[in-house]
Amino acid sequence: MTDLPTESISSAPPSPTSLRASRLSNLLPTLAGGVLTVATIVGFALHFAGEVAYSTYLTHMGIQPSSFPQAADWKIIHGLFVALDQSTWFLEYMPLKRIAAVLMIVTLPLVVAGAPAKQNPGLRHWLMSIPYWVRQPFVIYFFLVAVLASAAAVGSLLLLSSTMPGVVGERFGASEAAEHVERLERGKFKAISELWKDDQRQMRGEIIVTGADLIALYDMDSMTMRTISRDGIEVRAPLGLAAGAGTDSTPGSQ
Protein backbone atom coordinates (compact mmCIF):
# COMPACT_ATOMS: atom_id res chain seq x y z
CA MET A 1 0.00 0.00 0.00
CA THR A 2 1.43 3.42 -1.04
CA ASP A 3 1.20 6.34 1.36
CA LEU A 4 -0.11 9.63 -0.01
CA PRO A 5 2.35 12.54 -0.02
CA THR A 6 2.03 14.97 2.79
CA GLU A 7 1.92 17.94 0.42
CA SER A 8 -1.13 16.58 -1.46
CA ILE A 9 -3.09 16.08 1.78
CA SER A 10 -2.36 19.51 3.23
CA SER A 11 -3.12 21.33 -0.03
CA ALA A 12 -6.56 19.76 -0.48
CA PRO A 13 -9.29 22.47 -0.71
CA PRO A 14 -11.82 22.59 2.18
CA SER A 15 -15.17 20.99 1.57
CA PRO A 16 -18.36 23.12 1.20
CA THR A 17 -19.61 21.76 4.52
CA SER A 18 -16.54 22.96 6.38
CA LEU A 19 -16.79 26.35 4.69
CA ARG A 20 -20.40 26.74 5.77
CA ALA A 21 -19.54 25.67 9.30
CA SER A 22 -16.70 28.18 9.40
CA ARG A 23 -18.94 31.00 8.18
CA LEU A 24 -21.62 30.05 10.71
CA SER A 25 -19.11 30.01 13.57
CA ASN A 26 -17.91 33.47 12.52
CA LEU A 27 -21.48 34.73 12.28
CA LEU A 28 -22.70 33.43 15.64
CA PRO A 29 -20.86 36.01 17.81
CA THR A 30 -22.27 38.82 15.68
CA LEU A 31 -25.80 37.42 15.94
CA ALA A 32 -25.45 36.91 19.69
CA GLY A 33 -24.21 40.47 20.13
CA GLY A 34 -27.08 41.82 18.04
CA VAL A 35 -29.69 39.83 19.97
CA LEU A 36 -28.20 40.96 23.28
CA THR A 37 -28.22 44.60 22.16
CA VAL A 38 -31.85 44.44 20.99
CA ALA A 39 -32.89 42.66 24.21
CA THR A 40 -31.19 45.35 26.29
CA ILE A 41 -32.88 48.17 24.40
CA VAL A 42 -36.30 46.50 24.59
CA GLY A 43 -35.85 45.78 28.29
CA PHE A 44 -34.92 49.40 28.97
CA ALA A 45 -37.94 50.64 27.00
CA LEU A 46 -40.33 48.31 28.85
CA HIS A 47 -38.81 49.25 32.20
CA PHE A 48 -39.15 52.96 31.41
CA ALA A 49 -42.74 52.61 30.16
CA GLY A 50 -43.74 50.55 33.19
CA GLU A 51 -42.17 52.98 35.64
CA VAL A 52 -43.82 56.03 34.03
CA ALA A 53 -47.21 54.28 33.86
CA TYR A 54 -47.04 53.20 37.51
CA SER A 55 -45.93 56.63 38.75
CA THR A 56 -48.54 58.42 36.65
CA TYR A 57 -51.29 56.12 37.88
CA LEU A 58 -50.43 56.67 41.56
CA THR A 59 -50.05 60.43 41.08
CA HIS A 60 -53.47 60.73 39.44
CA MET A 61 -54.95 58.62 42.23
CA GLY A 62 -53.60 61.07 44.83
CA ILE A 63 -50.81 58.78 46.05
CA GLN A 64 -47.12 59.61 46.31
CA PRO A 65 -45.26 57.18 43.99
CA SER A 66 -42.08 57.42 46.07
CA SER A 67 -43.93 55.91 49.04
CA PHE A 68 -44.68 52.72 47.10
CA PRO A 69 -41.61 51.68 45.08
CA GLN A 70 -42.07 48.92 42.55
CA ALA A 71 -39.58 46.14 41.86
CA ALA A 72 -37.64 46.28 38.58
CA ASP A 73 -39.07 43.00 37.27
CA TRP A 74 -42.62 44.22 37.90
CA LYS A 75 -41.83 47.43 36.03
CA ILE A 76 -40.82 45.39 32.98
CA ILE A 77 -43.98 43.26 33.23
CA HIS A 78 -46.06 46.41 33.65
CA GLY A 79 -44.30 47.91 30.65
CA LEU A 80 -45.23 44.86 28.57
CA PHE A 81 -48.90 45.41 29.41
CA VAL A 82 -48.49 49.07 28.48
CA ALA A 83 -46.96 48.15 25.11
CA LEU A 84 -49.73 45.65 24.34
CA ASP A 85 -52.49 48.05 25.39
CA GLN A 86 -51.10 51.13 23.63
CA SER A 87 -49.84 49.44 20.45
CA THR A 88 -52.93 50.40 18.44
CA TRP A 89 -52.78 54.04 19.53
CA PHE A 90 -49.03 54.14 18.92
CA LEU A 91 -49.34 52.87 15.35
CA GLU A 92 -52.26 55.18 14.65
CA TYR A 93 -50.67 58.41 15.87
CA MET A 94 -47.00 57.68 15.27
CA PRO A 95 -45.54 60.21 12.76
CA LEU A 96 -44.63 57.62 10.14
CA LYS A 97 -44.04 60.21 7.39
CA ARG A 98 -41.60 62.19 9.52
CA ILE A 99 -39.78 59.05 10.57
CA ALA A 100 -39.49 57.96 6.92
CA ALA A 101 -38.14 61.41 5.97
CA VAL A 102 -35.59 61.26 8.78
CA LEU A 103 -34.46 57.80 7.71
CA MET A 104 -34.03 59.04 4.14
CA ILE A 105 -31.91 61.94 5.38
CA VAL A 106 -29.75 59.57 7.39
CA THR A 107 -29.24 57.00 4.66
CA LEU A 108 -28.87 59.35 1.67
CA PRO A 109 -25.29 60.46 2.47
CA LEU A 110 -24.27 56.85 3.07
CA VAL A 111 -25.79 55.75 -0.25
CA VAL A 112 -24.12 58.60 -2.12
CA ALA A 113 -20.78 57.88 -0.45
CA GLY A 114 -20.96 54.20 -1.37
CA ALA A 115 -22.14 54.72 -4.93
CA PRO A 116 -19.67 53.67 -7.65
CA ALA A 117 -17.76 56.65 -8.96
CA LYS A 118 -18.20 57.38 -12.66
CA GLN A 119 -15.25 58.97 -14.34
CA ASN A 120 -16.08 62.26 -16.02
CA PRO A 121 -12.88 63.89 -17.26
CA GLY A 122 -14.65 67.01 -18.46
CA LEU A 123 -16.33 67.72 -15.11
CA ARG A 124 -13.16 66.90 -13.19
CA HIS A 125 -11.12 69.17 -15.45
CA TRP A 126 -13.64 71.97 -14.94
CA LEU A 127 -13.59 71.55 -11.16
CA MET A 128 -9.82 71.44 -11.00
CA SER A 129 -9.65 74.61 -13.13
CA ILE A 130 -11.40 76.53 -10.33
CA PRO A 131 -8.91 78.09 -7.93
CA TYR A 132 -8.36 76.11 -4.75
CA TRP A 133 -9.39 78.92 -2.39
CA VAL A 134 -12.70 79.24 -4.24
CA ARG A 135 -13.46 75.55 -4.73
CA GLN A 136 -12.47 74.09 -1.37
CA PRO A 137 -14.75 76.20 0.90
CA PHE A 138 -17.78 75.04 -1.10
CA VAL A 139 -16.67 71.39 -0.87
CA ILE A 140 -16.23 71.65 2.90
CA TYR A 141 -19.56 73.49 3.20
CA PHE A 142 -21.53 70.76 1.45
CA PHE A 143 -19.71 68.11 3.46
CA LEU A 144 -20.59 69.84 6.74
CA VAL A 145 -24.22 70.24 5.68
CA ALA A 146 -24.46 66.50 4.98
CA VAL A 147 -22.81 65.63 8.31
CA LEU A 148 -25.00 68.03 10.32
CA ALA A 149 -28.17 66.84 8.59
CA SER A 150 -27.29 63.22 9.33
CA ALA A 151 -26.44 64.06 12.94
CA ALA A 152 -29.72 65.94 13.39
CA ALA A 153 -31.67 63.05 11.87
CA VAL A 154 -29.95 60.49 14.10
CA GLY A 155 -30.55 62.70 17.13
CA SER A 156 -34.23 63.00 16.24
CA LEU A 157 -34.56 59.23 15.97
CA LEU A 158 -32.82 58.73 19.30
CA LEU A 159 -35.00 61.38 20.94
CA LEU A 160 -38.15 59.83 19.52
CA SER A 161 -37.19 56.30 20.55
CA SER A 162 -36.24 57.43 24.06
CA THR A 163 -39.38 59.50 24.72
CA MET A 164 -42.07 57.30 23.18
CA PRO A 165 -42.00 54.72 26.03
CA GLY A 166 -42.57 57.57 28.47
CA VAL A 167 -45.38 59.02 26.36
CA VAL A 168 -47.29 55.74 26.06
CA GLY A 169 -46.59 54.95 29.74
CA GLU A 170 -47.99 58.28 30.89
CA ARG A 171 -51.03 57.90 28.66
CA PHE A 172 -51.69 54.39 29.97
CA GLY A 173 -51.30 55.40 33.62
CA ALA A 174 -53.54 58.46 33.27
CA SER A 175 -56.21 56.42 31.48
CA GLU A 176 -56.18 53.69 34.14
CA ALA A 177 -56.38 56.26 36.93
CA ALA A 178 -59.30 58.07 35.28
CA GLU A 179 -61.25 54.82 34.95
CA HIS A 180 -60.59 53.85 38.57
CA VAL A 181 -61.47 57.31 39.90
CA GLU A 182 -64.75 57.27 38.00
CA ARG A 183 -65.56 53.78 39.32
CA LEU A 184 -64.76 54.72 42.91
CA GLU A 185 -66.82 57.91 42.71
CA ARG A 186 -69.79 55.84 41.54
CA GLY A 187 -69.37 53.57 44.57
CA LYS A 188 -68.30 50.52 42.58
CA PHE A 189 -65.63 48.73 44.58
CA LYS A 190 -63.74 45.63 43.51
CA ALA A 191 -63.24 44.50 47.09
CA ILE A 192 -63.88 46.24 50.40
CA SER A 193 -61.28 45.86 53.11
CA GLU A 194 -61.44 47.00 56.70
CA LEU A 195 -58.44 48.31 58.63
CA TRP A 196 -58.52 47.49 62.32
CA LYS A 197 -56.25 48.57 65.16
CA ASP A 198 -56.65 47.60 68.83
CA ASP A 199 -59.99 45.94 68.03
CA GLN A 200 -61.33 49.17 66.56
CA ARG A 201 -62.12 49.68 62.92
CA GLN A 202 -60.18 52.63 61.62
CA MET A 203 -61.54 52.84 58.09
CA ARG A 204 -62.90 50.75 55.25
CA GLY A 205 -62.72 50.92 51.51
CA GLU A 206 -60.75 49.63 48.56
CA ILE A 207 -57.01 49.15 48.94
CA ILE A 208 -55.23 50.68 45.96
CA VAL A 209 -51.62 49.74 46.69
CA THR A 210 -49.62 48.40 49.60
CA GLY A 211 -45.98 48.71 50.52
CA ALA A 212 -43.67 47.43 53.21
CA ASP A 213 -44.65 50.22 55.62
CA LEU A 214 -47.69 51.98 54.13
CA ILE A 215 -51.16 51.24 52.82
CA ALA A 216 -53.02 53.44 50.33
CA LEU A 217 -56.78 53.01 50.64
CA TYR A 218 -59.79 54.82 49.22
CA ASP A 219 -61.93 55.53 52.28
CA MET A 220 -65.51 54.86 51.23
CA ASP A 221 -66.94 56.77 54.20
CA SER A 222 -65.00 60.03 53.80
CA MET A 223 -64.62 59.49 50.02
CA THR A 224 -60.93 60.38 50.16
CA MET A 225 -57.66 58.65 49.34
CA ARG A 226 -55.73 57.91 52.51
CA THR A 227 -52.20 56.66 53.09
CA ILE A 228 -51.55 55.23 56.53
CA SER A 229 -48.80 53.31 58.29
CA ARG A 230 -49.09 49.54 58.56
CA ASP A 231 -47.78 49.57 62.12
CA GLY A 232 -50.31 47.68 64.24
CA ILE A 233 -52.88 47.59 61.42
CA GLU A 234 -54.89 44.46 60.70
CA VAL A 235 -56.51 44.15 57.29
CA ARG A 236 -59.86 42.38 57.22
CA ALA A 237 -61.82 41.56 54.08
CA PRO A 238 -65.26 40.12 54.87
CA LEU A 239 -66.47 37.78 52.15
CA GLY A 240 -69.96 39.22 52.20
CA LEU A 241 -68.77 42.77 51.63
CA ALA A 242 -66.29 41.69 48.97
CA ALA A 243 -68.93 39.69 47.13
CA GLY A 244 -71.35 42.59 46.95
CA ALA A 245 -68.77 45.27 46.37
CA GLY A 246 -69.14 45.42 42.63
CA THR A 247 -72.93 45.73 42.54
CA ASP A 248 -74.74 47.72 45.21
CA SER A 249 -72.17 48.98 47.73
CA THR A 250 -72.28 52.73 48.25
CA PRO A 251 -70.20 55.00 50.48
CA GLY A 252 -71.63 55.17 53.97
CA SER A 253 -74.10 52.35 53.41
CA GLN A 254 -73.12 50.73 56.70
Side-chain angles (χ1 to χ4, degrees):
M1 182 176 180
T2 305
D3 296 334
L4 294 175
T6 306
E7 295 78 7
S8 61
I9 296 178
S10 60
S11 61
S15 63
T17 304
S18 61
L19 288 176
R20 287 194 296 268
S22 177
R23 292 174 182 175
L24 182 60
S25 63
N26 294 332
L27 186 61
L28 283 178
T30 304
L31 291 177
V35 171
L36 182 61
T37 302
V38 172
T40 303
I41 295 174
V42 172
F44 171 79
L46 293 179
H47 182 277
F48 184 37
E51 181 177 8
V52 173
Y54 180 72
S55 300
T56 303
Y57 169 77
L58 293 183
T59 301
H60 283 242
M61 293 294 293
I63 304 171
Q64 291 293 331
S66 58
S67 300
F68 300 92
Q70 193 179 38
D73 51 351
W74 279 108
K75 290 179 182 179
I76 295 177
I77 295 174
H78 199 180
L80 181 59
F81 281 105
V82 171
L84 294 177
D85 183 83
Q86 299 293 307
S87 58
T88 304
W89 173 86
F90 180 77
L91 294 176
E92 182 178 356
Y93 291 96
M94 185 172 59
L96 296 177
K97 295 182 179 179
R98 296 182 181 180
I99 293 177
V102 170
L103 289 176
M104 290 181 62
I105 295 175
V106 172
T107 57
L108 183 60
L110 299 177
V111 173
V112 173
K118 184 178 180 181
Q119 297 295 334
N120 191 341
L123 178 61
R124 183 177 179 83
H125 178 72
W126 177 78
L127 289 175
M128 297 305 295
S129 64
I130 300 176
Y132 176 84
W133 296 107
V134 177
R135 179 186 71 248
Q136 200 62 19
F138 284 98
V139 173
I140 297 176
Y141 171 76
F142 285 114
F143 175 76
L144 291 178
V145 168
V147 171
L148 293 177
S150 301
V154 172
S156 300
L157 288 177
L158 293 177
L159 180 63
L160 179 64
S161 60
S162 61
T163 56
M164 284 308 297
V167 172
V168 297
E170 183 177 6
R171 187 176 184 275
F172 178 85
S175 176
E176 288 290 305
E179 293 179 3
H180 290 182
V181 168
E182 181 182 2
R183 175 176 57 80
L184 294 174
E185 290 178 347
R186 290 187 289 107
K188 302 295 182 180
F189 301 93
K190 291 182 178 180
I192 298 177
S193 300
E194 297 179 347
L195 304 186
W196 289 70
K197 186 175 183 179
D198 299 332
D199 292 332
Q200 292 184 356
R201 191 179 73 181
Q202 303 297 315
M203 64 190 71
R204 63 194 179 101
E206 180 176 332
I207 294 178
I208 305 301
V209 62
T210 61
D213 302 318
L214 299 173
I215 299 176
L217 176 138
Y218 179 78
D219 192 340
M220 60 186 300
D221 296 319
S222 62
M223 300 180 65
T224 56
M225 188 68 64
R226 302 180 65 178
T227 301
I228 63 172
S229 173
R230 299 188 63 163
D231 186 21
I233 291 294
E234 178 187 359
V235 180
R236 299 180 183 180
L239 294 179
L241 288 176
T247 55
D248 55 359
S249 294
T250 56
S253 61
Q254 294 189 359

